[in-house]
Amino acid sequence: MNGGECEPYWERRLGRDDLAAVAGVRAGLRRFLVHWGAPGRAEIAELLTSELVTNALVHTDGGAVVTAVLGGGPSAVVKGLLRVEVRDTLPRRPVLRAPDAGPPDRESGSGMCDDRWTGESTATSGRGLLLVQALADAWGVRTHGTGKAVWFELAAEGR
């Protein structure tokens, strides 16, 4: 997605297994959104972005590219629609897993690509997409030439 000349745009490229960069992504997005949205909306965007970035870096063999676009032109800095995409190199689509679901089905390739599933509802992983589904105004997955992009959208004002 290209932000174009009229839409505020932010991008960050991350290397393979660069989990330390997640904090930098959050800080960069925070600066990008400094004048955007109702109280709490930028923090939700940071949380969802860090979940998607972490998934991309943990569950794929390549790096990731994070983009954020405020739709609506220059006025978007205050009230526009935010769209964040995290592109990675794994074409397999992630699967939304219920919080108390059993282990991923290894034979069919479904699940969150997480080999650390413990079988307990207290597991500390596998909830990133649940957060995205619960907090984003819209979200989805699209494939591209070498992988996929997982995206979400947030309006400046809450639902």
Side-chain angles (χ1 to χ4, degrees):
M1 170 183 263
N2 184 343
E5 292 180 31
C6 295
E7 295 178 326
Y9 179 82
W10 177 80
E11 178 177 290
R12 173 94 188 253
R13 295 180 180 275
L14 306 168
R16 180 177 183 233
D17 295 329
D18 191 6
L19 290 174
V22 176
V25 168
R26 287 178 72 121
L29 188 64
R30 187 177 311 119
R31 286 188 299 273
F32 178 68
L33 298 176
V34 70
H35 297 294
W36 174 82
R41 297 303 277 175
E43 289 81 5
I44 291 171
E46 285 181 50
L47 171 66
L48 300 183
T49 300
S50 65
E51 290 293 334
L52 295 183
V53 167
T54 301
N55 283 349
L57 295 176
V58 168
H59 300 300
T60 67
D61 291 332
V65 177
V66 184
T67 59
V69 178
L70 289 171
S75 66
V77 173
V78 175
K79 61 181 178 174
L81 178 71
L82 172 68
R83 180 180 174 105
V84 173
E85 279 194 4
V86 178
R87 294 187 311 270
D88 64 42
T89 58
L90 184 68
R92 184 173 39 181
R93 298 172 68 89
V95 175
L96 185 64
R97 187 170 66 197
D100 294 320
D105 180 354
R106 302 277 181 225
E107 305 255 335
S108 69
S110 66
M112 294 292 296
C113 311
D114 190 353
D115 292 329
R116 295 170 295 161
W117 186 83
T118 64
E120 301 173 11
S121 63
T122 58
T124 59
S125 64
R127 292 185 176 82
L129 286 180
L130 290 171
L131 286 172
V132 174
Q133 181 186 43
L135 298 175
D137 295 329
W139 76 280
V141 180
R142 68 174 179 81
T143 58
H144 58 81
T146 60
K148 69 179 170 308
V150 182
W151 59 269
F152 70 85
E153 292 179 344
L154 282 175
E157 302 292 323
R159 297 182 224 181

